[in-house]
Amino acid sequence: MNVSRARPGLGGCRLKRIRLAAVIAAVGVLASACSGAIAAPDPPASDGSWSQTLSAARGQTVSLWMWGGDPQGNAYVDEVLAPDAAKLGITLKRVPIADTKDALNRVVAEKQAGRTDGSVDLVWVNGDNFKTGQQASLWRCGWSGSLPNMTYTAPNDPLLTRDFGNPVNGCEAPWHKAQFTFVYDAARVTGPPRTMAELLAWVKAHPGRFTYPAPPDFTGSVFVREVLYSVADGYRNVPTVPTQSTYNAVSPALWTELNDLKASLWRAGRTYPRDSVQLDQLYAGGQVDLTMTYGPATLTSLVAKGTFPKTTKVLTLDEGPVGNASFLAIPVPSAHAAAAEVVSNLAMSPGQQLAKADPAVWGQFTVLDQSRLPVADAKAFQALPISQVVPAYSVLSRNANPELAAGWVTLLDDGWRRNVLVDGG
C-alpha cells in the first residue's frame, strides 16, 4: 500500500511519526513535557518598536521550510513573496520538504544540540505538527499578535485564534484559510449528492469511480474526519478533545462505514492514492469522477489550463465541510527571528494576501477581514476574478464544520491504518 506525504500540519509516514515522537520525548524532559503542559512562551524575537525589528532584519536570510508538492505555492513564494522580502533587505529562501515533520525533526535536533544558529527560520504549519512543537517548546511565542498587519484580521476569528482546537497564543502568524471541498465532473456525475451520507451512497452505487488518499496524507485524513462527522450525525456529537473512551465510543461506526466502502473504491480499495496530487491525476485522467482539495480556489486555474475537464464543479454539502487555517511559525533555534517576523508580517499584508488569493497566482483564501481593510484594498479583493468553477469563500464556508483537536488526527490516522488498511479485509 502507498504511504502518503503530508501538507502542513498533518500526516507523515508512521516511521517518521515514531522517530519524531522519540526525539520529542527526549526534548520533553527539558520542557516538563511529561505532563503534556506547554512551557511558558519565549519572549518576542525583538524587543522595542517595529522599526527596530525591521532594522534588525535587514541583511538576514530566512529559510522557509514548506511542503514542496504544490507548484503554484512554490511559484508564489519564489516569484511574489521573496522579491518583496528583498525590498526589505531580507533574502527569503524556500526549502521544499515532503512532510512538515521533516522540519520538526530538524528543529528538535538543533534545539537538543543547543544551537542558536538553526537552519529553520520559518515553517508552514498547522494542526498536530503545531501542537507537537508547542508541547516540546519548539516555537517562539508571544510575537505574532503584535505584527502590524494583524490589525487587519478579526480578533475573535476562531480559525485564527485556535489551530485544530489548540490556542495559538502568539506562537504562529496566520497565512491563509482553507476549506475542504469535494470536486466532481458534471459530465459524469448527474444529480450530484448534497450530503455526506448521499455521497457515500453514491460511491457504493458507482463502484470504481471514487477513492481518497491514504491517511496520514493531509487530504485523506480530513476525508476520514468528514466521514466521522457523518456517521456521528454531525460534528456536535464528536467531542472536540479526544480521550480513549470517546474514541472508543465514536470510532467503531467510522471503521464499519469505511470498510463497507472499500469494495466500491477505485481498484476495490486494494490500494489508495499516496496523496492529493495522485488523486488529482486519477481525476484528470478520467479514472475517478471526484477528487477533493483543501485549496478549491486553485480549481479555476486547473480548468483553464485543461488539466481538469471543463465540466469540473464544486460539490457543496448541506451540512458544510471542514475548514481551518495555515500559519507560519518561528522555531526557537532560529538565528534570524527578526527577519522571520518581518516575512510573516509581509505575508499577511493586503498586497500579498491579494496576490495569493488570485487563482492565477495561487488561489488561497485570505485571513484578512475585508471590513477592517482600507477602502482601496477592500475594493481590490472585491475585484478579484469571479470564477465560473469555484463559488465565493462565503458560499464554500457556509455551515463550515470546526476542526477536531489535533489529538484526534493521530488517533484517527493510526486507527485507519489498523482497522481499514490492515484489518479491513
Side-chain angles (χ1 to χ4, degrees), residues 2 14 50 53 85 134 146 158 179 242 255 265 357 379 395 409 415:
N2 290 318
R14 180 168 173 77
W50 183 245
T53 302
Q134 258 195 337
S146 60
Q179 198 65 55
W255 309 137
L265 297 179
K379 287 183 176 179
V395 175
V409 177

Side-chain angles (χ1 to χ4, degrees), residues 10-216:
L10 295 176
C13 69
R14 180 168 173 77
L15 178 60
K16 288 182 179 179
R17 178 177 289 151
I18 293 172
R19 184 171 69 248
L20 177 63
V23 182
I24 289 288
V27 176
V29 173
L30 303 175
S32 300
C34 58
S35 65
I38 298 171
D42 294 284
S46 301
D47 295 323
S49 69
W50 183 245
S51 62
Q52 290 175 312
T53 302
L54 288 170
S55 178
R58 292 192 67 84
Q60 293 187 348
T61 296
V62 171
S63 294
L64 168 58
W65 288 49
M66 59 180 281
W67 184 65
D70 184 340
Q72 280 189 279
N74 297 340
Y76 160 74
V77 171
D78 296 344
E79 300 170 12
V80 181
L81 184 59
D84 275 6
K87 295 174 184 177
L88 298 172
I90 299 168
T91 299
L92 178 61
K93 181 177 70 174
R94 179 177 58 83
V95 180
I97 51 178
D99 187 326
T100 308
K101 286 182 172 58
D102 295 343
L104 265 69
N105 281 327
R106 178 66 66 89
V107 175
V108 166
E110 292 177 346
K111 185 180 179 186
Q112 239 186 346
R115 289 183 57 177
T116 57
D117 60 344
S119 59
V120 186
D121 299 307
L122 208 54
V123 183
W124 179 18
V125 69
N126 72 359
D128 64 335
N129 285 326
F130 172 67
K131 181 182 179 181
T132 296
Q134 258 195 337
Q135 290 177 326
S137 298
L138 300 184
W139 309 127
R140 292 179 178 267
C141 294
W143 60 274
S144 63
S146 60
L147 296 178
N149 286 323
M150 280 294 291
T151 60
Y152 297 132
T153 66
N156 298 317
D157 187 336
L159 292 186
L160 307 187
T161 58
R162 302 182 74 86
D163 185 344
F164 280 63
N166 201 46
V168 169
N169 288 340
C171 303
E172 53 183 358
W175 200 18
H176 52 256
K177 291 183 177 181
Q179 198 65 55
F180 182 64
T181 306
F182 290 103
V183 181
Y184 70 100
D185 185 350
R188 297 198 295 261
V189 179
T190 58
R194 293 302 176 192
T195 67
M196 193 67 193
E198 288 182 6
L199 175 59
L200 297 173
W202 184 95
V203 172
K204 294 172 186 176
H206 300 82
R209 305 306 302 171
F210 179 90
T211 189
Y212 59 95

Side-chain angles (χ1 to χ4, degrees), residues 251-273:
S251 64
L254 171 64
W255 309 137
T256 296
E257 180 61 42
L258 291 176
N259 280 315
D260 287 348
L261 205 66
K262 283 185 73 171
S264 301
L265 297 179
W266 173 73
R267 293 187 177 176
R270 292 186 297 271
T271 187
Y272 294 80

Side-chain angles (χ1 to χ4, degrees), residues 394-415:
S394 59
V395 175
L396 286 173
S397 61
R398 185 181 299 143
N399 300 324
N401 297 174
E403 278 284 11
L404 293 170
W408 272 109
V409 177
T410 300
L411 282 174
L412 294 174
D413 286 352
D414 289 346

